[in-house]
Amino acid sequence: MRWWQNAVVYQIYPRSFNDSNGDGIGDLPGIIERLDYLEDLGIDAIWLSPVYQSPNDDNGYDISDYQAIHPEFGTMEDMDQLIKEADRRNIKIIMDLVVNHTSDEHQWFIEARKGKDNNYRDYYIWRDPADDGGPPNDLKSTFSGSAWEYDEKSGQYYLHLFSKKQPDLNWENKNVRKAVYDMMNFWLDKGVGGFRMDVIDLIGKKPDEKITGNGPKLHDYLQEMHQETLKDKDVMTVGETWGATPETAKLYSDPFREELSMVFQFEHMQLDEQPGATKWDLKELDLTELKSVLSKWQTELGNQGWNSLFWNNHDLPRIVSRFGNDTDYRVESAKLFAILLHLMKGTPYIYQGEEIGMTNRKIESIDEVDDIESINMYNERLDEGYTKEELIRAINVKGRDNARTPMQWDDTHEAGFTTGKPWLPIQPNYEQINVEAALEDKNSIFYTYQKLIRLRKENPIVVWGEYELVLPEHNTVFAYKRHYKNKTWLVLANVSRNETSLELPDEAQAGNIIVSNYDRDTIDLAKIALQPFEAIVVELKYSS
Ligand code: GLC
Ligand code: CA
């Protein structure tokens, strides 16, 4: 067994976690101040969103120096201190590795831009204009508009699958690969616990053939990376792969292939958008689809891969507002989604604030938005004739700022996040929803997360048990079993605001209640009645 197989990872978005010096921006010393809190929660590792030198066009995902800390976050000494202080609490630091692209202010790109003969020119992807002088082809940027930007000086275009300040690296160039591996080794030598690899499925791209994800050389590069950096190190790696299927996930995470520990797949996070459209084209979630997608991932990887389990990150809206209910049943539904996910097989990830049920951010106008993706989409779609109202609605539902509002620590000035003025406004509900209040209330969402983490440590069934979906057709109840040796646990979750009764096709008796989100100490399996957003895990007893 590898350490990350019964681990729980906590993601920190540093800008919004904790500000130690009153400039309104979270920072590394601020994280160190809160390590005791994370230790109390029980997590094993922190995935740290980027803290490197960056002009912040995409909040740090545009890196201008991989081996320097952005001064707004602190210094390299602070970083070393964080690694050390976390280690004292048995917490590993997972760095965000953003190597599909750099910032246009990275030294490599500054050089590359100097001209066609520059030694760094080929670190990036340059093409001549099409015959009409326009971009080489119609590849689109994830952040709207063409993926090609014209460079006056050389009369060529460069590729940027994200913003034009995020030029794509040319992974076909072996000097690029070598430079990335050296940089990774720099961080490994500092004792980090691994890497989360940003949009890693794009590095094998073939832009002329309009192939972006899953390019032909992708797995060769990852195997080479493994040999040059990760091999023989007891670290974990998780690739961000938006297009992954169980088949491709095995290519990344089959231990015999020596690539990554696991990937983030996003199929379950795309079920509330219209098929074939974009994330902004909204659709109601159909629970049976969510059940079938997650169950497929639970069963299909087998021993040839490992799942990551998540509802949230810094790019996604808050789960309690998204699939749950952030008004009448906020506490119940937040706990329900926690229970559903943390009883599955794989490595769970908690995104900061999820453990206290933080909610989405409501905006009324585009002036309130910080995120480049939302702003670019808004401008592009306004030109295409969409109304302001529908665009603001889409941003309220799906925009990335939803998850990026500062962490709510207590009910004092700016929720205890900063003594100054936060870079993004604090949510108005901080007086009720905050860490201090959660710690004081034994029935809070926080303690459900703490308990779920402990269950994973103490019960091999949670880590290794076989997964079986129950009642696949039921459209409000998500139910599944885990089987391990002679044990069976049943997870039941009523994902709706209505009471539900149901019958289980099972001859089992209820044993111990393992965890639940209502005050309940028994359940009659012959006639189950579930409260709104009730979730319960019960051990099953079979008389034989
Ligand atoms: C990933 C990151 C996202 C970023 C993008 C470009 O999807 O999670 O925040 O904007 O890559 O680096
Ligand atoms: Ca600060």
Side-chain angles (χ1 to χ4, degrees), residues 320-415:
V320 68
S321 303
R322 186 179 189 177
F323 297 164
N325 175 309
D326 65 8
T327 54
D328 305 348
Y329 296 104
R330 186 184 65 86
V331 172
E332 291 81 355
S333 67
K335 290 179 182 175
L336 173 144
F337 283 100
I339 291 170
L340 261 183
L341 197 79
H342 283 251
L343 265 293
M344 288 188 182
K345 185 173 181 177
T347 300
Y349 291 73
I350 301 169
Y351 177 69
Q352 65 183 44
E354 176 182 340
E355 78 281 15
I356 56 166
M358 279 178 62
T359 58
N360 273 357
R361 173 180 191 225
K362 281 276 156 296
I363 52 137
E364 265 145 40
S365 108
I366 193 68
D367 309 331
E368 297 170 67
V369 178
D370 173 81
D371 174 32
I372 182 172
E373 183 190 42
S374 296
I375 295 171
N376 289 359
M377 178 284 290
Y378 182 89
N379 292 330
E380 183 173 76
R381 289 197 167 188
L382 263 192
D383 288 346
E384 290 167 6
Y386 288 78
T387 66
K388 283 189 180 170
E389 292 65 37
E390 63 191 317
L391 296 176
I392 293 296
R393 170 153 186 273
I395 293 172
N396 276 326
V397 177
K398 287 291 188 63
R400 302 196 299 179
D401 288 347
N402 277 315
R404 296 179 180 183
T405 62
M407 186 72 182
Q408 296 161 204
W409 293 103
D410 58 36
D411 64 4
T412 64
H413 173 85
E414 303 292 3

Side-chain angles (χ1 to χ4, degrees), residues 70-89:
H70 195 301
E72 67 187 11
F73 292 130
T75 61
M76 194 55 92
E77 287 71 54
D78 294 327
M79 186 67 219
D80 292 335
Q81 190 67 14
L82 172 62
I83 297 170
K84 197 165 126 212
E85 286 294 322
D87 185 59
R88 271 204 321 124
R89 295 164 177 87

Side-chain angles (χ1 to χ4, degrees), residues 18-29 71-73 417-418:
N18 189 36
D19 175 21
S20 70
N21 62 354
D23 66 355
I25 299 172
D27 46 51
L28 294 171
E72 67 187 11
F73 292 130
F417 164 72
T418 180

